[in-house]
Amino acid sequence: MLEIKTAKTRRGKRELEKRAPKLVESGKKTLILHGTKTSAVLNAVLAQIFHLKKDNAVKFSRKNENVKPFEAGGETSLEFFSLKTDCSIFLYGSHSKKRPDNLVLGRTYDHHIYDLVEVGVENFKPMESFSYDKKLAPKEGSKPFIVFIGEGFEAVEELKHLKEVLLELLRGEVVENLNLAGVDRAYVCAALSPNRVLFTHCALRLKKSGTVVPRMELVEVGPSMDFVIRRHRPPNEGLRKEAMKTSREKPKKKEKNVKRDELKGKIGSIYIPDQKVGETALPYNAKGVKRERREAKRKNDNDENAPKRKKEDA
């Protein structure tokens, strides 16, 4: 029998609530880890990808001998790390004579391996090799534009799969509205061939265009590299359908001071503070006061003259 552990503190309960399934999921965290052997190029690639996703990523610095994607039994430790860190996307770097500078990108569903894409890194250029105005450097945590150039992303199965994984990796939390002035970076992915993709990171420079929408210029700030697709393992159809399920019911916002009755229907209660009439400031209208005085004086004069007229008539 498996022992089910429950949270004993309020902090533990809050952590479990964060990890629980939601109708609208928050941004996905990324796990970055090394294999048994890595190269200097691959170490730099993993470090700079962690820098780009620093606000929503976890990086392991030790070597992991038991992690071996695409092999039977080599995914158990990876699934355990995914559960422990609550990460649903991972990057695994390794280096060998058969597959030099190897990078595995993958996703998990319910902390089990969902799909895998293996690429080789070539023509890597770090951020330090680019010269540009440092004022244009993208801010940490800003939302990016993601551009995919080439018909291969719609026609070639391997490139379509890589596009899905890169979108999950780079876009961060999904939002409905976006302020154009706050967008300062763009990821550009260009399909050079059916198995090669150019990946680069650019800063956005906004300039006047004579219209409401500004003109944008791309300034390459790095890193830049080529991804050569080697192996990929898409999810099976049953697992895909289960992972793509969504609830028809949208989360309802809590309505304060509102209750429902079977006969009267929807009833709202309004809070009215105590009305202090004595302290209420009244408007001072001197003209109205003078007019009232004149009318009162005229009425008094009429009342005084009325008996005299009766005597004269008599």
Side-chain angles (χ1 to χ4, degrees), residues 59-240:
K59 186 175 184 293
F60 288 175
S61 57
R62 294 185 178 181
K63 297 179 181 180
N64 299 276
E65 299 179 357
N66 298 328
V67 177
K68 295 179 181 179
F70 292 101
E71 294 185 14
E75 300 173 352
T76 306
S77 298
L78 190 58
E79 292 174 351
F80 170 74
F81 292 144
S82 172
L83 177 62
K84 184 178 179 180
T85 58
D86 193 26
C87 293
S88 55
I89 306 172
F90 64 88
L91 294 177
Y92 171 79
S94 62
H95 179 77
S96 64
K97 186 176 181 181
K98 185 178 181 181
R99 296 186 178 91
D101 299 327
N102 199 52
L103 187 65
V104 178
L105 300 87
R107 296 178 289 179
T108 62
Y109 172 69
D110 195 19
H111 302 295
H112 295 286
I113 299 299
Y114 179 72
D115 60 354
L116 297 169
V117 179
E118 184 182 66
V119 298
V121 179
E122 296 181 2
N123 303 326
F124 173 68
K125 296 179 183 178
M127 297 180 182
E128 297 78 16
S129 63
F130 293 90
S131 58
Y132 58 93
D133 187 1
K134 300 304 178 183
K135 295 180 180 179
L136 298 175
K139 297 179 182 179
E140 185 176 330
S142 61
K143 293 292 291 183
F145 281 134
I146 306 175
V147 184
F148 291 92
I149 305 172
E151 297 179 356
F153 289 113
E154 302 297 332
V156 182
E157 193 65 31
E158 291 82 356
L159 292 181
K160 288 170 66 177
H161 190 192
L162 180 63
K163 177 183 176 181
E164 290 182 9
V165 178
L166 288 177
L167 273 175
E168 292 278 357
L169 174 67
L170 302 174
R171 69 180 177 181
E173 187 174 354
V174 180
V175 295
E176 294 181 358
N177 299 320
L178 190 63
N179 186 2
L180 187 61
V183 180
D184 58 358
R185 71 173 71 200
Y187 295 109
V188 181
C189 304
L192 306 179
S193 68
N195 67 334
R196 181 180 290 267
V197 174
L198 169 65
F199 172 83
T200 185
H201 178 220
C202 300
L204 292 178
R205 179 187 294 173
L206 302 180
K207 289 193 172 183
K208 295 181 180 179
S209 62
T211 61
V212 179
V213 181
R215 182 169 61 89
M216 291 188 179
E217 289 186 358
L218 295 180
V219 180
E220 197 169 5
V221 297
S224 175
M225 66 196 88
D226 289 351
F227 290 147
V228 181
I229 299 177
R230 290 172 177 166
R231 291 183 291 179
H232 81 113
R233 191 178 77 188
N236 59 60
E237 197 61 28
L239 184 60
R240 181 189 290 272

Side-chain angles (χ1 to χ4, degrees), residues 29-32 49-50 53-59 87:
K29 294 172 63 178
T30 304
L31 174 64
I32 301 174
I49 292 178
F50 174 69
K53 292 187 61 67
K54 196 172 184 179
D55 58 330
N56 208 8
V58 178
K59 186 175 184 293
C87 293

Side-chain angles (χ1 to χ4, degrees), residues 249-262:
E249 297 180 0
K250 295 183 179 180
K252 296 181 180 179
K253 294 184 179 179
K254 187 178 180 180
E255 295 179 322
K256 295 183 179 179
N257 302 323
V258 175
K259 58 183 180 179
R260 298 184 181 276
D261 188 82
E262 294 181 359

